Amino acid sequence: MQGKIPETMETTLKQARELCGYTQSEAAKKIGVSPDTLGNYERGKSYPDIPVLRKIEELYGVPYNRLIFLPLDYDKTVNRM
């Protein structure tokens, strides 16, 4: 694991993965899902069930309540349309 997420920082799922130094494919394999599934989680198109969420917490070292499953600028993106 490369970076450590500060304890007070909320982060998107993608940011957490990148801070840990994993590609989407590497992280998906370690979590036990396909890269497409992990990508859907990162984009907020679907959400992990509890067992998968626990694996994500363990791999990234971040409790689920600090993970955001949509981009931080999601509101800006939606309001542009």
Side-chain angles (χ1 to χ4, degrees):
M1 185 160 44
Q2 289 181 348
K4 180 162 174 23
I5 299 167
E7 291 186 23
T8 57
M9 179 181 156
E10 289 187 337
T11 185
T12 65
L13 193 60
K14 181 178 179 180
Q15 287 171 328
R17 173 180 55 78
E18 289 174 342
L19 282 169
C20 290
Y22 295 116
T23 66
Q24 199 172 63
S25 293
E26 291 168 335
K29 185 175 183 176
K30 290 179 180 288
I31 293 166
V33 299
S34 73
D36 287 339
T37 298
L38 183 57
N40 285 335
Y41 296 161
E42 290 181 356
R43 289 186 300 279
K45 292 185 178 234
S46 63
Y47 302 94
D49 59 18
I50 298 299
V52 172
L53 190 56
R54 296 293 183 221
K55 290 178 183 178
I56 291 169
E57 286 180 312
E58 184 178 318
L59 181 63
Y60 298 165
V62 179
Y64 78 91
N65 62 336
R66 292 192 27 237
L67 290 172
I68 301 168
F69 287 85
L70 293 171
L72 291 175
D73 63 351
Y74 178 78
D75 185 51
K76 293 176 190 171
T77 306
V78 170
N79 289 327
R80 277 191 210 152
M81 297 178 174

Coordinates of all heavy atoms in Angstrom, one line a residue:
M1 N 0.8 -1.2 0.0 CA 0.0 0.0 0.0 C 0.9 1.2 0.0 O 1.7 1.4 0.9 CB -0.9 0.0 1.2 CG -1.9 1.1 1.3 SD -3.3 0.8 2.3 CE -2.7 0.2 3.8
Q2 N 0.7 2.1 -1.0 CA 1.6 3.3 -1.1 C 1.2 4.4 -0.2 O 1.9 4.8 0.7 CB 1.5 3.8 -2.5 CG 2.3 2.9 -3.5 CD 2.2 3.4 -4.9 OE1 1.5 4.4 -5.2 NE2 3.0 2.8 -5.7
G3 N 0.0 5.0 -0.4 CA -0.4 6.2 0.4 C -1.3 5.8 1.5 O -1.9 4.7 1.5
K4 N -1.4 6.7 2.5 CA -2.3 6.5 3.6 C -3.3 7.6 3.6 O -3.0 8.7 3.5 CB -1.6 6.4 4.9 CG -2.5 6.2 6.1 CD -1.7 5.7 7.3 CE -2.5 5.5 8.5 NZ -3.9 5.3 8.5
I5 N -4.6 7.2 3.6 CA -5.6 8.2 3.6 C -5.7 8.8 5.0 O -5.8 8.1 6.0 CB -7.0 7.6 3.2 CG1 -6.8 7.0 1.8 CG2 -8.1 8.6 3.3 CD1 -7.9 6.1 1.4
P6 N -5.7 10.2 5.2 CA -5.8 10.8 6.5 C -7.1 10.3 7.2 O -8.1 10.2 6.5 CB -5.8 12.3 6.2 CG -5.1 12.4 4.9 CD -5.5 11.1 4.1
E7 N -7.0 10.2 8.5 CA -8.2 9.6 9.2 C -9.4 10.5 9.2 O -10.5 10.0 9.4 CB -7.8 9.4 10.7 CG -6.8 8.2 10.8 CD -6.5 7.8 12.2 OE1 -7.3 8.1 13.1 OE2 -5.5 7.2 12.4
T8 N -9.3 11.8 8.9 CA -10.4 12.7 8.8 C -10.9 12.9 7.4 O -11.9 13.6 7.2 CB -10.1 14.1 9.4 OG1 -9.0 14.6 8.7 CG2 -9.7 13.9 10.9
M9 N -10.3 12.3 6.5 CA -10.6 12.6 5.1 C -11.6 11.6 4.5 O -11.4 10.4 4.6 CB -9.4 12.6 4.2 CG -9.6 12.8 2.8 SD -7.9 12.7 1.9 CE -8.4 12.3 0.3
E10 N -12.7 12.1 3.9 CA -13.6 11.2 3.2 C -13.0 11.2 1.8 O -12.3 12.1 1.3 CB -15.0 11.8 3.1 CG -15.7 11.7 4.4 CD -17.2 12.2 4.3 OE1 -17.5 12.9 3.3 OE2 -17.9 11.8 5.1
T11 N -13.1 10.0 1.1 CA -12.5 9.9 -0.2 C -13.4 9.0 -1.1 O -14.2 8.2 -0.6 CB -11.1 9.2 0.0 OG1 -10.5 9.1 -1.3 CG2 -11.3 7.8 0.5
T12 N -13.3 9.3 -2.4 CA -14.1 8.4 -3.3 C -13.4 7.0 -3.3 O -12.2 6.9 -3.0 CB -14.1 9.0 -4.7 OG1 -12.8 9.0 -5.3 CG2 -14.7 10.4 -4.7
L13 N -14.2 6.1 -3.7 CA -13.6 4.7 -3.8 C -12.4 4.7 -4.8 O -11.4 4.0 -4.5 CB -14.7 3.8 -4.3 CG -14.5 2.3 -4.2 CD1 -14.3 1.9 -2.7 CD2 -15.7 1.5 -4.8
K14 N -12.5 5.4 -5.9 CA -11.4 5.5 -6.8 C -10.2 6.1 -6.2 O -9.1 5.6 -6.4 CB -11.8 6.2 -8.1 CG -10.8 6.3 -9.1 CD -11.2 7.0 -10.4 CE -10.1 7.1 -11.4 NZ -10.5 7.8 -12.6
Q15 N -10.4 7.2 -5.5 CA -9.2 7.9 -4.8 C -8.5 6.9 -3.9 O -7.3 6.9 -3.8 CB -9.7 9.1 -4.1 CG -10.0 10.3 -5.0 CD -10.7 11.4 -4.3 OE1 -11.3 11.2 -3.3 NE2 -10.4 12.6 -4.8
A16 N -9.3 6.2 -3.1 CA -8.8 5.3 -2.1 C -8.0 4.2 -2.8 O -6.8 3.9 -2.3 CB -9.9 4.7 -1.3
R17 N -8.5 3.7 -3.9 CA -7.7 2.7 -4.6 C -6.4 3.2 -5.2 O -5.4 2.6 -5.0 CB -8.6 2.1 -5.8 CG -7.8 1.2 -6.7 CD -8.7 0.7 -7.8 NE -9.3 1.7 -8.7 CZ -8.7 2.4 -9.6 NH1 -7.4 2.3 -9.9 NH2 -9.4 3.2 -10.4
E18 N -6.5 4.4 -5.7 CA -5.3 5.0 -6.3 C -4.3 5.4 -5.2 O -3.1 5.2 -5.4 CB -5.7 6.2 -7.1 CG -6.4 5.9 -8.4 CD -6.9 7.1 -9.2 OE1 -7.0 8.2 -8.6 OE2 -7.2 6.9 -10.4
L19 N -4.7 5.8 -4.1 CA -3.8 6.2 -3.0 C -3.1 4.9 -2.5 O -2.0 5.0 -2.0 CB -4.5 6.8 -1.8 CG -4.8 8.3 -2.1 CD1 -5.8 8.8 -1.0 CD2 -3.6 9.1 -2.0
C20 N -3.8 3.8 -2.6 CA -3.1 2.5 -2.2 C -2.2 1.9 -3.3 O -1.5 0.9 -3.1 CB -4.2 1.5 -1.9 SG -5.1 1.9 -0.3
G21 N -2.2 2.6 -4.5 CA -1.3 2.1 -5.5 C -1.8 1.0 -6.4 O -1.0 0.3 -7.1
Y22 N -3.1 0.7 -6.4 CA -3.6 -0.4 -7.1 C -4.3 0.1 -8.4 O -4.9 1.1 -8.5 CB -4.7 -1.1 -6.4 CG -4.3 -1.8 -5.1 CD1 -4.7 -1.5 -3.9 CD2 -3.4 -2.9 -5.2 CE1 -4.3 -2.1 -2.7 CE2 -2.9 -3.6 -4.1 CZ -3.4 -3.2 -2.8 OH -3.0 -3.8 -1.7
T23 N -4.1 -0.7 -9.5 CA -4.9 -0.5 -10.7 C -6.3 -1.0 -10.4 O -6.5 -1.8 -9.4 CB -4.3 -1.2 -11.9 OG1 -4.4 -2.6 -11.7 CG2 -2.9 -0.8 -12.2
Q24 N -7.2 -0.7 -11.2 CA -8.6 -1.2 -11.0 C -8.6 -2.7 -11.1 O -9.2 -3.4 -10.3 CB -9.5 -0.6 -12.1 CG -11.0 -0.7 -11.7 CD -11.8 0.1 -12.7 OE1 -11.9 -0.3 -13.9 NE2 -12.5 1.1 -12.2
S25 N -7.8 -3.3 -12.1 CA -7.7 -4.7 -12.2 C -7.1 -5.4 -11.0 O -7.6 -6.5 -10.6 CB -6.9 -5.1 -13.5 OG -7.6 -4.7 -14.6
E26 N -6.0 -4.9 -10.5 CA -5.4 -5.4 -9.3 C -6.3 -5.4 -8.1 O -6.4 -6.4 -7.4 CB -4.1 -4.6 -9.0 CG -3.0 -4.8 -10.0 CD -1.9 -3.8 -9.7 OE1 -2.1 -2.7 -9.1 OE2 -0.7 -4.1 -10.1
A27 N -6.9 -4.3 -7.9 CA -7.8 -4.2 -6.7 C -9.0 -5.2 -6.9 O -9.4 -5.8 -5.9 CB -8.3 -2.8 -6.6
A28 N -9.6 -5.2 -8.1 CA -10.8 -6.1 -8.3 C -10.4 -7.5 -8.0 O -11.2 -8.3 -7.4 CB -11.2 -5.9 -9.8
K29 N -9.2 -8.0 -8.5 CA -8.8 -9.3 -8.2 C -8.6 -9.6 -6.7 O -9.1 -10.6 -6.2 CB -7.5 -9.6 -9.0 CG -7.0 -11.0 -8.9 CD -5.8 -11.3 -9.7 CE -5.4 -12.7 -9.7 NZ -4.2 -13.0 -10.5
K30 N -8.0 -8.7 -6.0 CA -7.8 -8.9 -4.6 C -9.2 -8.9 -3.8 O -9.3 -9.5 -2.8 CB -6.9 -7.8 -4.0 CG -5.5 -8.0 -4.5 CD -4.6 -6.9 -3.9 CE -3.2 -7.0 -4.4 NZ -2.5 -8.1 -3.7
I31 N -10.1 -8.1 -4.3 CA -11.4 -8.0 -3.7 C -12.3 -9.2 -4.0 O -13.2 -9.6 -3.3 CB -12.1 -6.6 -4.0 CG1 -11.3 -5.5 -3.4 CG2 -13.6 -6.6 -3.6 CD1 -11.7 -4.1 -4.0
G32 N -12.1 -9.7 -5.2 CA -12.9 -10.9 -5.7 C -14.0 -10.5 -6.6 O -15.0 -11.2 -6.6
V33 N -13.9 -9.4 -7.3 CA -14.9 -9.0 -8.2 C -14.2 -8.7 -9.6 O -13.0 -8.6 -9.7 CB -15.7 -7.7 -7.8 CG1 -16.4 -8.0 -6.4 CG2 -14.7 -6.5 -7.6
S34 N -15.0 -8.5 -10.6 CA -14.5 -8.2 -11.9 C -14.1 -6.7 -12.0 O -14.6 -5.9 -11.2 CB -15.4 -8.5 -13.0 OG -16.5 -7.5 -13.0
P35 N -13.1 -6.3 -12.8 CA -12.8 -4.9 -13.0 C -14.0 -4.1 -13.4 O -14.2 -2.9 -12.9 CB -11.7 -4.9 -14.1 CG -11.1 -6.3 -14.0 CD -12.2 -7.2 -13.6
D36 N -14.9 -4.6 -14.2 CA -16.1 -3.9 -14.5 C -17.0 -3.6 -13.3 O -17.6 -2.6 -13.2 CB -16.9 -4.7 -15.6 CG -16.3 -4.6 -17.0 OD1 -15.5 -3.7 -17.2 OD2 -16.6 -5.5 -17.8
T37 N -17.1 -4.6 -12.5 CA -17.9 -4.4 -11.2 C -17.3 -3.4 -10.4 O -18.0 -2.5 -9.9 CB -18.0 -5.8 -10.5 OG1 -18.7 -6.7 -11.3 CG2 -18.8 -5.6 -9.2
L38 N -16.0 -3.4 -10.2 CA -15.3 -2.4 -9.4 C -15.5 -1.0 -10.0 O -15.8 0.0 -9.3 CB -13.9 -2.7 -9.2 CG -13.1 -1.8 -8.3 CD1 -13.7 -1.7 -6.9 CD2 -11.6 -2.2 -8.2
G39 N -15.4 -0.9 -11.3 CA -15.7 0.3 -12.0 C -17.1 0.8 -11.8 O -17.3 2.0 -11.6
N40 N -18.0 0.0 -11.7 CA -19.4 0.4 -11.5 C -19.6 0.9 -10.0 O -20.3 1.8 -9.8 CB -20.4 -0.8 -11.7 CG -20.6 -1.0 -13.2 OD1 -20.5 -0.1 -14.0 ND2 -21.0 -2.2 -13.5
Y41 N -18.9 0.2 -9.1 CA -18.9 0.7 -7.7 C -18.3 2.1 -7.7 O -18.8 3.0 -7.0 CB -18.0 -0.1 -6.8 CG -18.5 -1.6 -6.6 CD1 -17.6 -2.5 -6.1 CD2 -19.8 -2.0 -6.8 CE1 -18.0 -3.8 -5.9 CE2 -20.2 -3.3 -6.6 CZ -19.3 -4.2 -6.1 OH -19.7 -5.5 -5.9
E42 N -17.1 2.3 -8.4 CA -16.4 3.6 -8.3 C -17.3 4.7 -9.0 O -17.2 5.9 -8.6 CB -15.1 3.5 -9.0 CG -14.1 2.7 -8.3 CD -12.7 2.6 -9.0 OE1 -12.6 3.1 -10.1 OE2 -11.8 2.0 -8.3
R43 N -18.1 4.4 -9.9 CA -18.9 5.4 -10.6 C -20.3 5.5 -9.9 O -21.1 6.4 -10.4 CB -19.1 5.0 -12.1 CG -17.8 5.2 -12.9 CD -18.0 5.0 -14.4 NE -18.5 3.7 -14.7 CZ -17.7 2.6 -14.8 NH1 -16.4 2.7 -14.6 NH2 -18.2 1.4 -15.1
G44 N -20.6 4.8 -8.9 CA -21.9 4.8 -8.2 C -23.0 4.2 -9.0 O -24.2 4.5 -8.7
K45 N -22.7 3.3 -10.0 CA -23.7 2.7 -10.8 C -24.3 1.5 -10.1 O -25.4 1.0 -10.4 CB -23.2 2.3 -12.1 CG -22.9 3.5 -13.0 CD -22.5 3.1 -14.4 CE -22.3 4.3 -15.2 NZ -23.0 4.3 -16.4
S46 N -23.5 0.9 -9.2 CA -23.9 -0.2 -8.3 C -23.1 -0.1 -7.0 O -22.2 0.6 -6.9 CB -23.7 -1.6 -9.0 OG -22.4 -1.8 -9.3
Y47 N -23.6 -0.9 -6.1 CA -22.9 -0.9 -4.7 C -22.6 -2.2 -4.2 O -23.4 -3.2 -4.5 CB -23.9 -0.1 -3.8 CG -24.2 1.2 -4.3 CD1 -25.4 1.5 -5.0 CD2 -23.3 2.3 -4.0 CE1 -25.6 2.7 -5.5 CE2 -23.6 3.6 -4.5 CZ -24.8 3.8 -5.3 OH -25.0 5.0 -5.8
P48 N -21.5 -2.4 -3.5 CA -21.1 -3.7 -3.0 C -22.0 -4.2 -1.9 O -22.5 -3.4 -1.1 CB -19.6 -3.5 -2.6 CG -19.6 -2.0 -2.2 CD -20.5 -1.3 -3.2
D49 N -22.1 -5.5 -1.8 CA -22.8 -6.1 -0.7 C -21.8 -6.1 0.5 O -20.6 -5.7 0.4 CB -23.3 -7.5 -1.0 CG -22.3 -8.5 -1.4 OD1 -21.1 -8.2 -1.2 OD2 -22.7 -9.5 -2.0
I50 N -22.3 -6.4 1.7 CA -21.5 -6.3 2.9 C -20.2 -7.1 2.8 O -19.2 -6.6 3.2 CB -22.3 -6.7 4.1 CG1 -23.5 -5.7 4.3 CG2 -21.5 -6.7 5.4 CD1 -23.1 -4.3 4.5
P51 N -20.2 -8.4 2.4 CA -18.9 -9.1 2.4 C -17.9 -8.4 1.5 O -16.7 -8.4 1.8 CB -19.3 -10.5 1.8 CG -20.8 -10.7 2.2 CD -21.3 -9.3 2.1
V52 N -18.3 -7.9 0.3 CA -17.4 -7.2 -0.6 C -17.0 -5.9 0.0 O -15.8 -5.5 0.0 CB -18.1 -7.0 -2.0 CG1 -17.2 -6.1 -2.8 CG2 -18.4 -8.3 -2.7
L53 N -17.9 -5.2 0.7 CA -17.5 -4.0 1.3 C -16.5 -4.2 2.4 O -15.5 -3.4 2.5 CB -18.8 -3.4 2.0 CG -18.7 -1.9 2.5 CD1 -18.2 -1.0 1.4 CD2 -20.0 -1.5 3.0
R54 N -16.5 -5.3 3.1 CA -15.5 -5.6 4.1 C -14.2 -5.8 3.5 O -13.1 -5.4 4.1 CB -16.0 -6.8 5.0 CG -17.2 -6.6 5.8 CD -17.0 -5.6 6.9 NE -18.2 -5.5 7.7 CZ -18.6 -4.4 8.2 NH1 -18.0 -3.2 7.9 NH2 -19.7 -4.3 8.9
K55 N -14.2 -6.5 2.3 CA -12.9 -6.7 1.6 C -12.3 -5.4 1.2 O -11.1 -5.2 1.2 CB -13.1 -7.7 0.5 CG -13.4 -9.1 0.9 CD -13.6 -10.0 -0.3 CE -14.0 -11.4 0.1 NZ -14.3 -12.2 -1.1
I56 N -13.1 -4.5 0.7 CA -12.7 -3.2 0.3 C -12.1 -2.4 1.5 O -11.0 -1.9 1.4 CB -13.8 -2.4 -0.4 CG1 -14.2 -3.0 -1.7 CG2 -13.4 -0.9 -0.5 CD1 -15.5 -2.4 -2.3
E57 N -12.8 -2.5 2.6 CA -12.2 -1.8 3.8 C -10.9 -2.3 4.2 O -9.9 -1.6 4.5 CB -13.2 -2.1 5.0 CG -14.5 -1.3 5.0 CD -15.3 -1.6 6.2 OE1 -15.4 -2.8 6.5 OE2 -15.8 -0.7 6.8
E58 N -10.7 -3.7 4.1 CA -9.5 -4.3 4.5 C -8.4 -4.0 3.5 O -7.3 -3.6 3.9 CB -9.7 -5.8 4.6 CG -8.5 -6.5 5.1 CD -8.7 -8.0 5.2 OE1 -9.8 -8.4 5.7 OE2 -7.8 -8.8 4.8
L59 N -8.7 -4.0 2.2 CA -7.6 -3.8 1.2 C -7.2 -2.3 1.2 O -6.0 -2.1 1.2 CB -8.2 -4.2 -0.2 CG -7.2 -4.0 -1.3 CD1 -6.0 -4.9 -1.2 CD2 -7.9 -4.2 -2.6
Y60 N -8.1 -1.4 1.4 CA -7.7 0.0 1.3 C -7.4 0.6 2.7 O -6.9 1.7 2.8 CB -8.9 0.8 0.7 CG -9.2 0.5 -0.8 CD1 -10.4 0.9 -1.3 CD2 -8.3 -0.3 -1.6 CE1 -10.7 0.6 -2.6 CE2 -8.7 -0.6 -2.9 CZ -9.9 -0.1 -3.4 OH -10.2 -0.4 -4.7
G61 N -7.8 -0.1 3.7 CA -7.5 0.4 5.1 C -8.4 1.6 5.4 O -7.9 2.5 6.2
V62 N -9.6 1.6 4.9 CA -10.5 2.7 5.1 C -11.9 2.2 5.6 O -12.4 1.3 4.9 CB -10.7 3.5 3.8 CG1 -11.7 4.7 4.0 CG2 -9.4 4.0 3.3
P63 N -12.5 2.6 6.7 CA -13.8 2.2 7.0 C -14.8 2.7 6.0 O -14.7 3.7 5.4 CB -14.1 2.8 8.4 CG -13.0 3.9 8.6 CD -11.9 3.6 7.6
Y64 N -15.9 1.8 5.8 CA -16.9 2.1 4.8 C -17.5 3.5 5.0 O -17.9 4.2 4.0 CB -18.0 1.0 4.8 CG -19.0 1.2 5.9 CD1 -20.1 1.9 5.7 CD2 -18.8 0.6 7.1 CE1 -21.0 2.1 6.7 CE2 -19.7 0.7 8.1 CZ -20.8 1.5 7.9 OH -21.7 1.6 8.9
N65 N -17.7 4.0 6.2 CA -18.3 5.3 6.4 C -17.5 6.5 5.9 O -18.0 7.6 5.9 CB -18.8 5.5 7.8 CG -17.6 5.5 8.8 OD1 -16.6 4.9 8.5 ND2 -17.8 6.0 10.0
R66 N -16.3 6.2 5.5 CA -15.4 7.3 4.9 C -15.3 7.2 3.4 O -14.6 7.9 2.8 CB -14.1 7.3 5.6 CG -14.2 7.7 7.1 CD -12.9 8.0 7.8 NE -11.8 8.5 6.9 CZ -10.6 7.9 6.9 NH1 -10.4 6.8 7.6 NH2 -9.7 8.3 6.1
L67 N -15.9 6.1 2.8 CA -15.8 6.0 1.4 C -17.1 6.6 0.7 O -18.2 6.4 1.2 CB -15.7 4.5 1.0 CG -14.4 3.8 1.4 CD1 -14.5 2.3 1.2 CD2 -13.3 4.4 0.6
I68 N -16.8 7.3 -0.3 CA -17.9 7.9 -1.1 C -18.0 7.1 -2.4 O -16.9 6.9 -3.1 CB -17.6 9.3 -1.4 CG1 -17.5 10.1 -0.1 CG2 -18.7 9.9 -2.3 CD1 -16.9 11.5 -0.3
F69 N -19.1 6.6 -2.8 CA -19.3 5.8 -4.0 C -19.7 6.6 -5.2 O -20.1 6.0 -6.2 CB -20.3 4.6 -3.7 CG -19.7 3.6 -2.8 CD1 -19.7 3.7 -1.5 CD2 -19.0 2.5 -3.3 CE1 -19.1 2.8 -0.6 CE2 -18.4 1.5 -2.5 CZ -18.5 1.7 -1.2
L70 N -19.5 7.9 -5.2 CA -19.8 8.7 -6.3 C -18.6 9.7 -6.4 O -18.0 10.0 -5.3 CB -21.1 9.5 -6.2 CG -22.3 8.7 -6.2 CD1 -23.5 9.6 -5.9 CD2 -22.6 8.1 -7.6
P71 N -18.3 10.3 -7.5 CA -17.2 11.3 -7.6 C -17.6 12.5 -6.7 O -18.7 12.8 -6.6 CB -17.2 11.7 -9.1 CG -17.9 10.6 -9.8 CD -18.9 10.0 -8.9
L72 N -16.5 13.1 -6.1 CA -16.8 14.2 -5.3 C -17.5 15.4 -6.0 O -18.2 16.1 -5.4 CB -15.4 14.7 -4.7 CG -14.8 13.8 -3.6 CD1 -13.4 14.3 -3.2 CD2 -15.7 13.6 -2.4
D73 N -17.3 15.5 -7.3 CA -17.9 16.5 -8.1 C -19.2 16.0 -8.8 O -19.6 16.7 -9.7 CB -16.9 17.1 -9.1 CG -16.5 16.1 -10.1 OD1 -16.8 14.9 -10.0 OD2 -15.8 16.5 -11.1
Y74 N -19.8 15.0 -8.3 CA -21.0 14.4 -8.9 C -22.1 15.4 -9.0 O -22.7 15.5 -10.1 CB -21.4 13.2 -8.1 CG -22.7 12.6 -8.7 CD1 -22.6 11.7 -9.8 CD2 -23.9 12.8 -8.1 CE1 -23.8 11.2 -10.3 CE2 -25.1 12.2 -8.6 CZ -25.0 11.4 -9.7 OH -26.1 10.8 -10.2
D75 N -22.3 16.2 -8.0 CA -23.4 17.2 -8.0 C -23.2 18.2 -9.2 O -24.1 18.6 -9.8 CB -23.4 17.9 -6.7 CG -24.6 18.9 -6.6 OD1 -25.7 18.4 -6.9 OD2 -24.4 20.0 -6.2
K76 N -21.9 18.6 -9.4 CA -21.7 19.6 -10.5 C -21.9 18.9 -11.8 O -22.5 19.6 -12.7 CB -20.2 20.0 -10.4 CG -19.9 20.9 -9.2 CD -18.4 21.2 -9.2 CE -18.0 21.8 -7.8 NZ -16.6 22.0 -7.7
T77 N -21.6 17.7 -12.0 CA -21.8 17.0 -13.2 C -23.3 16.8 -13.5 O -23.7 17.1 -14.6 CB -21.2 15.5 -13.2 OG1 -19.8 15.7 -12.8 CG2 -21.3 14.8 -14.5
V78 N -24.1 16.5 -12.5 CA -25.5 16.3 -12.7 C -26.2 17.6 -13.0 O -27.1 17.7 -13.8 CB -26.1 15.6 -11.5 CG1 -27.6 15.6 -11.5 CG2 -25.6 14.2 -11.3
N79 N -25.8 18.7 -12.3 CA -26.4 19.9 -12.5 C -26.1 20.6 -13.8 O -26.7 21.6 -14.1 CB -26.1 20.9 -11.3 CG -26.8 20.4 -10.0 OD1 -27.9 19.9 -10.1 ND2 -26.2 20.6 -8.9
R80 N -25.1 20.2 -14.5 CA -24.7 20.7 -15.8 C -25.7 20.3 -16.9 O -25.9 21.0 -17.9 CB -23.4 20.3 -16.2 CG -22.3 21.0 -15.7 CD -21.0 20.7 -16.4 NE -19.9 20.8 -15.5 CZ -18.8 20.2 -15.5 NH1 -18.6 19.3 -16.4 NH2 -17.8 20.4 -14.6
M81 N -26.4 19.2 -16.7 CA -27.3 18.7 -17.7 C -28.6 19.4 -17.7 O -29.2 20.0 -17.0 CB -27.5 17.2 -17.5 CG -26.2 16.4 -17.6 SD -26.6 14.7 -17.2 CE -24.9 14.0 -17.6

